[in-house]
């Protein structure tokens, strides 16, 4: 059986199920090397402003090894936060037929790419896009640097069309690119939690015939929550509500500005077991990111799996792959208050039946973006080496 070594910083709710499914399929043998070290299980998330410990098991059903991290400031927030002198030796001891590395930004991950290039096939997974591309000399220098980085990659698993364009810009050829869709646990999000969703709406004082717009994520500048609040308040339609679910650096400012509006609500960050209820309680989900650095936006997948209408900016990497204008949602120009306000008003003026129909379209679209498809792509690539 072909052996695949997987190098990733820490257990992530969007990837651990992929590893578990790969192990269950028994078509290839895997070993996951976690480079942050065991400290990653109780990590401070600066975006949420608190320690985050996921309430789903992320280490069950597949083999893994912790790798000692000697960084003075361990973490994925800077390139020197992942420093593993023993990583290459640990991988070599396992004797893989191929190595899959998630992200090149970290010191040890880039070192791993360079070490194994030419020894065994090197596969890369990342979700960067060109959406923040600005041009100029800095952009040119970065482009040259990225082409050097990706010379150490034999194959890349791309998440969607924006990521594919990025890889091609970085010098990878079509024959090196394999589509492995960004995904969430569609079934878990789609499973009906009607009574709990109704209870949440009741708790917030939202009637059945009223519409709820949801923002779920980190309250940080790149996500654009302040712009959404301003647009919602300016639209000022009756029988509409806005719910912010999360925490972050902008929390105090958001709550102060929202205090004048009785139809704007807040709940804290919700963990994985309950968050499907929050999505199911809403009628429209909005991710108004202005960037830089909104590579994909997996909250879009989650909301679509819950069959919701979607409003996003054109700086969200999921973009045209998942959101079809006037079919299951709308896309506005990032940072453009007038455009956001116009499209938000259009969606909020739809009746509940029309929004439900858009949500059904979301559910159909997202079926093709699954863990199963991602696993299939990895298996086909490794087995074909």
């Amino acid at each position: 059986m072909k052996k695949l070594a997987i190098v990733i910083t820490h257990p992530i709710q969007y990837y651990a199920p992929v590893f578990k499914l790969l192990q269950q399929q028994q078509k290839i043998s895997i070993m996951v090397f976690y480079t942050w070290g065991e400290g990653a299980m109780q990590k401070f998330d600066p975006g949420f402003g608190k320690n985050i410990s996921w309430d789903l098991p992320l280490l069950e059903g597949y083999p893994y090894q912790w790798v000692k991290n000697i960084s003075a400031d361990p973490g994925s927030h800077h390139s020197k936060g992942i420093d593993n002198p023993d990583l290459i030796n640990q991988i070599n001891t396992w004797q893989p037929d191929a190595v899959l590395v998630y992200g090149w930004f970290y010191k040890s991950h880039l070192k791993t790419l360079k070490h194994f290039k030419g020894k065994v096939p090197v596969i890369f997974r990342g979700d960067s896009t060109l959406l923040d591309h600005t041009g100029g000399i800095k952009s040119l220098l970065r482009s040259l640097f990225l082409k050097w980085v990706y010379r150490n990659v034999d194959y890349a698993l791309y998440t969607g069309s924006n990521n594919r364009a990025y890889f091609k810009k970085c010098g990878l050829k079509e024959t090196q690119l394999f589509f492995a869709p960004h995904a969430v646990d569609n079934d878990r999000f789609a499973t009906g939690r009607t009574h709990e969703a109704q209870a949440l709406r009741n708790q917030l004082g939202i009637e059945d015939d009223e519409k709820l717009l949801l923002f779920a994520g980190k309250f940080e500048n790149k996500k654009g929550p302040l712009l959404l609040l301003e647009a919602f308040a300016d639209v000022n339609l009756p029988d509409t509500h806005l719910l912010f679910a999360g925490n972050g650096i902008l929390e105090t400012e958001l709550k102060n500005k929202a205090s004048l509006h009785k139809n704007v609500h807040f709940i804290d960050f919700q963990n994985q077991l309950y968050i499907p209820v929050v999505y199911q309680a809403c009628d429209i989900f909005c991710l108004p990111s202005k960037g830089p650095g909104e590579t994909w936006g997996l909250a879009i997948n989650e909301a679509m799996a819950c069959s919701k209408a979607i409003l996003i900016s054109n700086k969200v990497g999921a973009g045209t792959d998942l959101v079809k204008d006037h079919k299951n949602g709308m896309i506005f120009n990032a940072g453009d208050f007038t455009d956001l306000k116009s499209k938000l008003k259009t969606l909020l003026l739809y009746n509940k039946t029309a929004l439900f129909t858009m949500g059904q379209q979301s559910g159909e679209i997202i079926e093709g973006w699954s863990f199963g498809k991602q696993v299939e792509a990895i298996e086909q690539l490794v087995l074909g080496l």
Side-chain angles (χ1 to χ4, degrees):
M1 191 182 291
K2 290 275 185 78
K3 298 173 69 176
L4 176 67
I6 299 172
V7 177
I8 189 169
T9 53
H10 61 289
I12 298 171
Q13 70 271 28
Y14 303 118
Y15 289 123
V18 173
F19 306 152
K20 185 176 180 179
L21 188 52
L22 281 167
Q23 179 69 14
Q24 288 173 347
Q25 301 273 66
Q26 288 291 299
K27 292 183 179 178
I28 60 175
S29 177
I30 67 165
M31 178 62 72
V32 179
F33 296 86
Y34 283 121
T35 55
W36 187 323
E38 290 189 64
M41 295 307 290
Q42 289 288 341
K43 70 186 184 73
F44 179 79
D45 190 311
F48 284 119
K50 58 171 65 178
N51 284 316
I52 298 296
S53 180
W54 299 112
D55 58 5
L56 286 178
L58 300 181
L59 292 172
E60 294 180 3
Y62 63 91
Y64 64 89
Q65 296 180 23
W66 297 112
V67 187
K68 185 179 180 182
N69 185 9
I70 65 168
S71 173
D73 180 19
S76 57
H77 56 293
H78 65 125
S79 62
K80 295 180 181 178
I82 304 295
D83 190 354
N84 317 104
D86 300 328
L87 175 60
I88 288 171
N89 283 337
Q90 275 184 245
I91 296 171
N92 276 327
T93 298
W94 194 66
Q95 296 183 317
D97 297 296
V99 176
L100 167 57
V101 179
Y102 285 72
W104 60 262
F105 175 69
Y106 314 108
K107 178 180 178 180
S108 289
H109 289 211
L110 182 56
K111 186 177 179 182
T112 300
L113 291 175
K114 292 166 64 179
H115 175 84
F116 285 101
K117 174 65 175 176
K119 297 181 177 69
V120 297
V122 175
I123 306 167
F124 181 79
R125 174 72 163 185
D127 57 4
S128 296
T129 73
L130 300 171
L131 295 177
D132 298 320
H133 184 76
T134 55
I137 187 66
K138 283 187 178 179
S139 182
L140 176 61
L141 292 173
R142 179 168 177 77
S143 178
L144 292 171
F145 171 71
L146 289 173
K147 285 182 178 179
W148 171 79
V149 168
Y150 286 105
R151 280 202 291 270
N152 296 291
V153 169
D154 294 304
Y155 304 98
L157 299 165
Y158 69 91
T159 60
S161 58
N162 281 315
N163 183 221
R164 176 175 171 273
Y166 164 86
F167 282 136
K168 294 190 81 170
K169 176 80 172 177
C170 292
L172 293 180
K173 299 179 176 62
E174 193 67 45
T175 52
Q176 295 176 277
L177 302 178
F178 289 77
F179 177 49
H182 242 335
V184 302
D185 188 342
N186 290 339
D187 291 340
R188 185 170 68 83
F189 280 91
T191 298
R193 310 276 290 272
T194 307
H195 294 301
E196 292 168 278
Q198 185 63 54
L200 177 58
R201 287 177 68 100
N202 292 343
Q203 176 189 325
L204 297 172
I206 301 169
E207 301 293 336
D208 289 349
D209 60 346
E210 295 182 317
K211 296 161 199 164
L212 176 59
L213 172 70
L214 171 67
F215 172 99
K218 297 173 182 177
F219 300 165
E220 57 185 354
N221 196 47
K222 80 172 185 180
K223 299 279 187 184
L226 288 167
L227 188 70
L228 177 60
L229 173 60
E230 185 182 355
F232 178 80
D234 221 42
V235 169
N236 194 29
L237 288 172
D239 303 323
T240 61
H241 295 257
L242 170 58
L243 171 61
F244 286 100
N247 298 99
I249 194 169
L250 297 177
E251 186 169 348
T252 300
E253 185 178 357
L254 268 171
K255 288 182 174 177
N256 286 340
K257 289 189 174 182
S259 61
L260 300 173
H261 308 285
K262 292 182 179 179
N263 57 344
V264 179
H265 316 272
F266 290 85
I267 59 174
D268 285 341
F269 160 82
Q270 300 298 313
N271 219 315
Q272 287 295 293
L273 287 178
Y274 187 73
I275 192 65
V277 174
V278 181
Y279 287 114
Q280 290 182 30
C282 81
D283 299 285
I284 305 165
F285 177 76
C286 183
L287 183 56
S289 300
K290 60 181 181 179
E294 187 63 88
T295 52
W296 180 264
L298 278 160
I300 302 301
N301 296 60
E302 295 173 343
M304 288 177 63
C306 292
S307 297
K308 298 302 169 182
I310 307 295
L311 176 62
I312 61 171
S313 82
N314 60 356
K315 285 293 182 80
V316 176
T320 53
D321 283 320
L322 297 186
V323 181
K324 313 301 179 184
D325 231 13
H326 294 282
K327 183 178 180 182
N328 72 313
M330 302 182 81
I331 301 175
F332 72 95
N333 293 317
D336 186 332
F337 176 76
T338 302
D339 195 29
L340 169 56
K341 182 181 166 184
S342 170
K343 286 170 179 169
L344 177 58
K345 185 175 182 179
T346 297
L347 286 174
L348 288 173
L349 283 172
Y350 281 142
N351 61 40
K352 298 268 286 189
T353 301
L355 290 174
F356 177 81
T357 301
M358 294 183 92
Q360 294 299 107
Q361 294 289 333
S362 284
E364 291 177 13
I365 292 168
I366 208 63
E367 283 180 5
W369 299 71
S370 67
F371 288 148
K373 290 283 180 70
Q374 194 177 132
V375 164
E376 188 180 312
I378 295 170
E379 289 172 340
Q380 286 183 351
L381 173 53
V382 174
L383 291 171
L385 295 174

